Amino acid sequence: MKKHLLSIDDVTADDIATLFETAAEMHDVQRRDVKKLPALRGKTVINLFFEDSTRTRSSFEIAGKWLSADVINLSAKGSSTSKGESLRDTVLTVTAMGIDGLVMRHSASGAAQQVAGWLDIPVINAGDGTHEHPTQALLDAYTLTRHLGSLEGRHIAIIGDLTHSRVFRSGVKCLTKLGAEVTVVAPPTLMPSGITAWSKDAGFATSYDVDAVLPTADAVMMLRVQKERMSGGYFPTAREYTVGYGLTRDRLKLLKDGAPILHPGPMNRGLEIAPEAADAATSAVLDQVSAGVAVRMSVLYHLLAGPSTTTDHAGE
Ligand code: NCD
């Protein structure tokens, strides 16, 4: 395993298999009364979040705490960045205190990569602009394997605001690495430029037609319409987006029986996903959240504690 997790490019299919094995052990721990493992006792992890987050930050915090690490949360609001301190000064300052790992989210694509170049400790990218969100991709793929078994040859549809989605960029890399066939679907205005060349290179398909793709998918992953990253009008009205690209109640009938529905959250209910889909028996949205803790425990464990103690501690 590489030192940092900045992108899905940092892990091989074998690394992912190892991460999933440990995550499965961690998932069992999650169901116990007493959830603490001693694996990261004496280690300190900082969660440095320059962008809003509910699940990712708390998931990393819980993951670190259940591994007995000391976890400190810092956000841009309330930190010295709001006084004009540079990113480099901020990260050098917090790491000078003697921390062992840094989890960071930033609105600039490439920020985690840049920070990793300044530091000796492992850096985990918890989302950088519209670039990557590798732990989300890992937890999504892990959730899918729990529902479908091996992803080899399985057809996964990723639908929504692709242009602004780091979840899609990491997700497509992770799923194709695991042998899945991926089709990404968006309106033309939310299809990233250059995707034709990339999709050919990386071996995934693109489509503008949700109704044609849904019946062929073994699982469907809906993406949030990221209004906060949009400066202009990408679609005429919310209603038109829903009619064209939302997972509506009517479209549920197009899905294969039992096909899981994923969404990384936060969901815009009624826009990209209807309540009937979000709350369907086949909805895996809360499974994703629960898998998120297990997968992040696994990532923190492998990056901060090293591989030799995996089974020792997970078995305790
Ligand atoms: C995603 C993110 O922040 O990139 N959310 C998440 O991490 N659970 C997706 C989103 O914000 O739509």
Side-chain angles (χ1 to χ4, degrees):
M1 204 115 12
K2 284 199 179 170
K3 176 174 178 171
H4 306 291
L5 180 60
L6 306 173
S7 154
I8 287 295
D9 298 333
D10 291 332
V11 285
T12 62
D14 283 346
D15 291 335
I16 297 174
T18 306
L19 285 167
F20 284 7
E21 240 172 72
T22 310
E25 291 172 27
M26 300 303 180
H27 223 148
D28 293 337
V29 171
Q30 230 173 315
R31 290 189 205 100
R32 296 187 195 166
D33 259 2
V34 179
K35 299 180 178 75
K36 286 259 187 195
L37 297 176
L40 296 185
R41 193 160 49 198
K43 307 255 185 199
T44 304
V45 179
I46 290 202
N47 284 336
L48 187 58
F49 277 60
F50 293 95
E51 260 190 9
D52 294 345
S53 172
T54 307
R55 68 218 81 219
T56 305
R57 196 173 78 171
S58 47
S59 179
F60 268 113
E61 182 175 356
I62 293 169
K65 286 183 168 164
W66 285 354
L67 291 171
S68 303
D70 292 303
V71 182
I72 287 138
N73 289 315
L74 280 178
S75 58
K77 272 173 235 144
S79 79
S80 294
T81 21
S82 58
K83 297 184 187 167
E85 188 174 57
S86 72
L87 177 59
R88 186 162 187 273
D89 285 336
T90 302
V91 296
L92 290 179
T93 301
V94 297
T95 50
M97 295 174 194
I99 63 162
D100 302 285
L102 180 72
V103 177
M104 70 168 282
R105 169 172 284 194
H106 199 280
S107 57
S109 299
Q113 175 94 39
Q114 191 162 33
V115 164
W118 296 326
L119 305 180
D120 282 337
I121 52 167
V123 174
I124 299 169
N125 180 10
D128 61 328
T130 57
H131 179 227
E132 284 223 32
H133 191 355
T135 58
Q136 181 71 44
L138 290 168
L139 76 89
D140 290 342
Y142 176 83
T143 305
L144 285 168
T145 60
R146 304 278 283 200
H147 282 262
L148 302 174
S150 163
L151 300 186
E152 193 69 51
R154 294 305 202 120
H155 183 205
I156 316 295
I158 304 179
I159 302 169
D161 177 0
L162 301 176
T163 292
H164 302 103
S165 178
R166 52 198 177 203
V167 174
F168 139 68
R169 283 180 183 76
S170 288
V172 79
K173 286 183 186 176
C174 186
L175 293 170
T176 48
K177 228 170 230 192
L178 298 176
E181 316 223 324
V182 180
T183 302
V184 301
V185 190
T189 49
L190 290 170
M191 195 60 94
S193 60
I195 197 162
T196 314
W198 179 30
S199 61
K200 264 198 204 120
D201 242 30
F204 64 92
T206 62
S207 168
Y208 299 131
D209 189 349
V210 177
D211 297 321
V213 172
L214 285 182
T216 66
D218 294 305
V220 55
M221 192 184 295
M222 301 308 295
L223 298 174
R224 183 172 66 88
V225 175
Q226 301 200 15
K227 290 188 203 127
E228 78 280 13
R229 296 189 204 278
M230 295 182 182
S231 45
Y234 286 82
F235 45 86
T237 62
R239 178 85 201 123
E240 273 162 275
Y241 182 88
T242 306
V243 169
Y245 292 90
L247 188 57
T248 56
R249 193 174 52 179
D250 283 348
R251 288 204 171 98
L252 284 178
K253 295 181 204 123
L254 298 175
L255 285 173
K256 286 188 189 174
D257 267 356
I261 298 166
L262 284 78
H263 190 304
M267 293 187 279
N268 289 312
R269 277 174 185 260
L271 181 54
E272 73 267 358
I273 188 164
E276 291 84 352
D279 303 328
T282 48
S283 167
V285 173
L286 294 177
D287 297 344
Q288 288 172 274
V289 177
S290 130
V293 177
V295 167
R296 289 180 175 116
M297 284 173 86
S298 173
V299 167
L300 286 172
Y301 177 77
H302 284 283
L303 264 51
L304 270 70
S308 56
T309 41
T310 314
T311 35
D312 300 2
H313 288 314
E316 277 169 19

